[in-house]
Amino acid sequence: MVHLIKLLCSWSQIVPWYLLRFILLLLFVGCKTKASLKLPPNVSVPAVFVFGDSVVDTGNNNNRTTSFARSNFPPYGRDFEGGIPTGRFSNGKVPSDLIVEELGIKELLPAYLKPHLQSSDLMTGVCFASGGSGYDPLTSVLESSMPLTGQLDLFKEYISKLKGLVGDDRANFILANSLFVVVAGSSDISNTYRTRSLLYDLPAYTDLLINSASHFLTELNELGARRIAVFSAPPIGCLPFQRTVGGGIEKRCAERTNNLAQLFNIKLPMMLDSLNRKFPSSRNVFIDGYNPLLDIIVNYQKYGYKVGDTGCCGTGRIEVAILCNRFDSTCPNVHDYVFWDSFHPTESVYKKLIAPILQKYLYQFQ
């Protein structure tokens, strides 16, 4: 079916546009990947849109040659379709892909900046995330990544394209009923706070992050988003890189970093409640990713893993992005590891997280 849609899109120069649009709408409505989970009553999700950082980036940073936050080279993508590195910071799929797969929309969520993006992809969702981005505006400067404001600019451009493709009414329906996913904060807490710490203590810095997140989410609501899943910060202090730089000789979880993440996570739901009062027709929902991931890291053997404190790439302690490359050895069996590199979990871990999280929180979008 995907090949048929691509063929129809290639006919745009010879088939009357009104007819092509009608055919595409029929395909869009009638043909989807089989959903793996049961949606709540009266909930349909026509598309998914993702904003944020490297955890959910599906390739938007590929052309940012000055950015350290790139992964369009081996060994990234080792277990992806065909073993091809696509800019996903993983050995395989990332949460963006797994969310659309679980919802039965499509198998992968393409990057909005992917060359030759198909019209069918515009109707079912795209990813705007950029590795190295964060709520703190300084984060994207340090990482030479696309800030959240830049991701919103792309989203505005997308809306114009969508309306040209399906018309205003259908476009507004898609925006109002789709799932918007926001995953950010990791780069802020892991990297940027080291620069900000001379001027901000933990409470002040989390206030900065919350204020920036509020501005971003306010504009997203104003642009027509009505179902917005906002993920918490993860247990960043337990990532291999943070264990290496802040975990002492025993490389334990970096306590100060986790405290910063937890304080941010305490404040985030309160800000989302305020947004829901401001936009009563919207559902801005807090998603706890901290505790489920921490449980896998701490109790890794219970989940079938053998290594929970280092990544599969290189030594597993510092390698990430350009430091995890073709010259580094990788573990023989990635399924033994919680982490792929020193910052990002394996596809296997993402699969253990995404389905239960969706099942737990989807009812809140009714």
Side-chain angles (χ1 to χ4, degrees):
M1 183 56 62
V2 172
H3 295 300
L4 178 56
I5 294 175
K6 290 180 178 179
L7 178 61
L8 286 169
C9 292
S10 70
W11 287 353
S12 59
Q13 300 301 317
I14 58 176
V15 176
W17 180 239
Y18 69 88
L19 179 58
L20 179 62
R21 189 171 75 176
F22 177 73
I23 296 173
L24 285 172
L25 283 173
L26 287 179
L27 291 171
F28 168 68
V29 172
C31 302
K32 293 185 178 182
T33 303
K34 184 178 180 181
S36 299
L37 55 82
K38 184 179 179 180
L39 294 176
N42 303 318
V43 172
S44 62
V45 183
V48 170
F49 304 97
V50 176
F51 300 81
D53 58 25
S54 61
V55 173
V56 287
D57 186 358
T58 57
N60 283 309
N61 272 14
N62 287 352
N63 296 319
R64 293 181 165 271
T65 56
T66 60
S67 176
F68 291 105
R70 289 189 295 122
S71 58
N72 56 336
F73 45 78
Y76 287 99
R78 188 180 77 173
D79 303 299
F80 195 72
E81 298 176 353
I84 299 173
T86 60
R88 289 168 168 83
F89 291 80
S90 175
N91 62 301
K93 295 180 179 180
V94 294
S96 304
D97 304 309
L98 299 174
I99 289 170
V100 292
E101 185 177 16
E102 287 291 330
L103 291 173
I105 296 173
K106 50 189 174 183
E107 293 183 6
L108 301 171
L109 189 70
Y112 179 70
L113 296 181
K114 175 185 176 182
H116 312 299
L117 191 69
Q118 301 297 316
S119 297
S120 57
D121 285 320
L122 293 178
M123 291 189 291
T124 52
V126 288
C127 176
F128 299 97
S130 172
S133 184
Y135 291 120
D136 186 342
L138 180 60
T139 299
S140 58
V141 175
L142 296 176
E143 299 286 345
S144 296
S145 64
M146 190 184 346
L148 288 175
T149 52
Q151 295 178 35
L152 278 177
D153 288 340
L154 291 182
F155 180 54
K156 294 173 186 176
E157 178 184 282
Y158 161 84
I159 293 174
S160 178
K161 290 182 179 179
L162 182 65
K163 289 183 176 180
L165 181 65
V166 301
D168 287 4
D169 290 343
R170 182 63 190 178
N172 291 334
F173 174 86
I174 291 173
L175 295 177
N177 290 278
S178 294
L179 180 64
F180 290 76
V181 179
V182 180
V183 179
S186 294
S187 296
D188 303 317
I189 295 169
S190 176
N191 303 327
T192 310
Y193 184 64
R194 289 197 297 272
T195 301
R196 293 283 203 184
S197 60
L198 295 176
L199 298 175
Y200 296 87
D201 59 12
L202 298 190
Y205 189 62
T206 52
D207 285 343
L208 183 154
L209 296 182
I210 291 296
N211 184 57
S212 180
S214 177
H215 286 298
F216 167 77
L217 292 167
T218 295
E219 188 164 359
L220 195 58
N221 277 272
E222 290 173 345
L223 288 170
R226 291 295 176 263
R227 295 171 171 173
I228 307 176
V230 185
F231 275 72
S232 70
I236 300 169
C238 295
L239 307 187
F241 182 84
Q242 286 298 324
R243 289 176 183 261
T244 300
V245 300
I249 297 176
E250 296 182 351
K251 293 184 171 52
R252 296 182 177 179
C253 294
E255 184 176 358
R256 181 176 172 83
T257 307
N258 272 351
N259 288 342
L260 182 55
Q262 289 173 317
L263 183 56
F264 172 77
N265 291 342
I266 290 172
K267 295 179 178 180
L268 184 58
M270 293 184 286
M271 182 268 285
L272 295 178
D273 287 342
S274 177
L275 274 179
N276 286 329
R277 290 191 294 272
K278 183 176 181 180
F279 299 97
S281 62
S282 293
R283 300 291 182 270
N284 295 272
V285 177
F286 172 80
I287 309 294
D288 176 23
Y290 185 102
N291 289 297
L293 179 56
L294 181 63
D295 188 50
I296 293 178
I297 295 172
V298 173
N299 303 300
Y300 60 92
Q301 292 176 317
K302 181 181 75 173
Y303 290 90
Y305 300 108
K306 296 180 180 180
V307 183
D309 60 353
T310 58
C312 173
C313 183
T315 66
R317 298 201 178 276
I318 61 171
E319 292 84 358
V320 62
I322 62 174
L323 296 179
C324 174
N325 54 61
R326 68 175 74 244
F327 301 107
D328 286 309
S329 60
T330 53
C331 62
N333 187 2
V334 69
H335 296 289
D336 290 339
Y337 284 71
V338 172
F339 291 96
W340 164 247
D341 58 22
S342 67
F343 202 89
H344 304 95
T346 61
E347 178 189 71
S348 172
V349 169
Y350 286 140
K351 286 183 175 179
K352 286 180 169 61
L353 291 170
I354 294 303
I357 285 175
L358 286 175
Q359 197 68 71
K360 178 179 179 180
Y361 290 99
L362 271 180
Y363 79 94
Q364 295 190 35
F365 296 101
Q366 296 183 78

